Every structure is written in C-alpha cells, then in structure tokens.
Amino acid sequence: MVDDGEWNDKIGHCVDEPQLAQSFSAARKIAVLQCLGRSGMLRTAKASARLKEISGLTEEDTKTARKSWRTKLLAAVGGVSAALLSLGYSVSQQKVATAVPQVDVGTPISAGRWTVSVLKAQVTSELPNGLSVSPDKRALVVEMSLENISSESSNLYGDLLVLSDIPDLPKPDFYLLRDRSILWDLQPRMPETVAAVWEVPVDLRLPETLTVHVQGAAFKPRDNLYAAPGWFPTGDVAEVVFPLSEVASGDGN
C-alpha cells in the first residue's frame, strides 16, 4: 500500500503544500523527484525507486511525462525561432524602408517644399558672379534646377544638399545663374537654374565622383512645440552620384 505520509514528508522539501501532491500529474511528480535528486534527498537508486513507488508513478506515466516535456520543449524552441525570424524580417524591412534611393543626374526629386534636379558639379577658381574665390580656396559648385512648390516665397534652401564625400562643410552660398547674382527668396512655382557653392581649401583632396544627398521636408499644420504650421526636415530623400570636373579660370560653367 502507498505510504502517503512518506511521500508528503519527502516532497515537503520541494513544494509548499505536500498534502496536495497526491493529485499532481505524472509530469509534476517527476519534476518533484528531480528536485529531490538535485537537493541530495535521493542518494541511492533504492531511495529513488522507493519514492517513485510511493508517488504512484508507473513506467507508462514516466514515458508519457517525458513525451509531454519533449513536446513543450519543441514548442518553446519553435516559438523562439518564429520570434527571431519575425525580428530579422522586421529589421530587414526597416533597412529597405530607410534605404536612400539613387537617382540619375537631371531627374526631378520631390523634397517636400522643393523640387530639385541636380545637373552637374565642378571645381573652379571663380564664383558664379565672376569674382575670384578667397585666397588659398577653390569653389566647389553644384548646379541644379530648383522649384519652390509651396505657396510662399522662401530662402530656406541652405540645408537642401549634403555632400556625403566631404564631411564638415558649412552651408553653401546659392547663386541665381540667369543673372549670376546671389539667390535670395525663390518665388513659388517659378523653377530656376541655381548653383550651390562651397569654398574649400585648395589643398583639400576632392573625390573623382561626388555623392549628393538631397534633404526632404514635410509640412505640418501644427508642430509639437509651438502648435504652429511649418515645414520640418525628414532626412535624405535621394542620392545623386556623378563625376566631379575641374574647370580652368575663365572657361566658365
């Protein structure tokens, strides 16, 4: 006959309420026996066998319980694998979503407030207005077609272009090429050919090909800080790569 007292006494080291242990499932009882084994309560095979007898476990119970544990383990492994695959897919999708599209030279690029088509880049010793650059400097000139598609005139184009090959450049000066003057406000819906000009040290090593990142902006009726409407930066919207040519003084653009 099964000695409930002996069973309850043994499992008191592993469960809080030993009197309930008689109703445990086979898997739960095996877990208790494993606990006792780890705690040193079952020092001999005879003691282990006796406690299995007391618990009422049969060989079939043991096999069923082990099968149940294997099933749960496989389910857990499958769940973790699915989660990792999902995470990898999400990261992959985010990389695809954040990749900057590369466009051809002369392709119109929608950048929010502006539509811009980058045309060419060159290095010269003269500014677009015909004046010489500062001593020990060269002019790096990027020409483009630029259109203000907002409803108001604007001169907020200073951050429109970023030269990723040449770090730490200041904002360029912009020139209106049809009259070779400094560009101020650009009127809505009146595309113009303009030049962005950076003066760089004459000994700065420039790349043979130039990578230009066009920066976008989005309109918000109410911003988060002042609850006022405005255009706000959205980051890179396009990348243009093209050769950088050098123009001798007096050759023009």
Side-chain angles (χ1 to χ4, degrees):
M1 181 176 291
V2 174
D3 187 343
D4 292 347
E6 187 177 356
W7 166 250
N8 290 343
D9 178 63
K10 291 292 186 184
I11 67 169
H13 296 275
C14 292
V15 297
D16 294 331
E17 299 186 41
Q19 66 273 18
L20 300 179
Q22 286 294 343
S23 62
F24 284 177
S25 66
R28 187 78 177 274
K29 287 180 178 180
I30 285 177
V32 171
L33 294 178
Q34 290 173 340
C35 172
L36 291 170
R38 288 193 297 271
S39 66
M41 298 294 296
L42 303 181
R43 292 187 176 86
T44 66
K46 183 177 180 180
S48 177
R50 173 58 181 155
L51 201 55
K52 286 184 180 180
E53 177 187 349
I54 292 171
S55 69
L57 288 173
T58 65
E59 189 65 28
E60 188 62 31
D61 290 333
T62 304
K63 291 180 180 179
T64 302
R66 288 174 179 170
K67 184 177 181 181
S68 174
W69 277 107
R70 284 198 298 270
T71 302
K72 290 178 180 179
L73 179 61
L74 289 174
V77 171
V80 171
S81 299
L84 291 175
L85 286 173
S86 177
L87 177 62
Y89 178 77
S90 298
V91 171
S92 175
Q93 288 297 100
Q94 185 176 10
K95 288 182 178 179
V96 171
T98 56
V100 180
Q102 188 173 108
V103 302
D104 294 333
V105 173
T107 301
I109 300 166
S110 177
R113 183 199 293 266
W114 310 101
T115 296
V116 56
S117 302
V118 182
L119 304 175
K120 65 178 180 179
Q122 56 192 16
V123 180
T124 179
S125 59
E126 288 186 354
L127 299 174
N129 59 8
L131 298 178
S132 298
V133 299
S134 303
D136 299 322
K137 299 281 187 177
R138 291 186 292 174
L140 175 55
V141 182
V142 175
E143 293 186 13
M144 74 198 84
S145 172
L146 185 60
E147 181 180 4
N148 175 7
I149 65 168
S150 71
S151 59
E152 298 177 345
S153 60
S154 175
N155 59 9
L156 300 178
Y157 37 70
D159 296 318
L160 184 61
L161 303 183
V162 173
L163 307 185
S164 61
D165 304 303
I166 312 172
D168 303 323
L169 286 176
K171 290 183 180 181
D173 295 319
F174 282 76
Y175 291 81
L176 184 63
L177 290 185
R178 61 180 169 85
D179 60 9
R180 300 187 176 277
S181 62
I182 289 288
L183 177 64
W184 299 104
D185 285 357
L186 200 60
Q187 303 304 315
R189 305 296 176 176
M190 294 179 62
E192 296 279 5
T193 303
V194 304
V197 180
W198 292 265
E199 289 194 39
V200 298
V202 69
D203 58 352
L204 177 66
R205 185 174 181 179
L206 297 174
E208 294 182 359
T209 59
L210 196 65
T211 302
V212 176
H213 282 189
V214 179
Q215 307 297 296
F219 180 79
K220 292 184 179 180
R222 293 167 61 91
D223 75 325
N224 296 331
L225 186 58
Y226 299 108
W231 290 88
F232 301 92
T234 58
D236 297 343
V237 295
E239 177 183 275
V240 187
V241 181
F242 46 91
L244 180 60
S245 62
E246 185 151 0
V247 177
S249 178
D251 285 356
N253 294 331

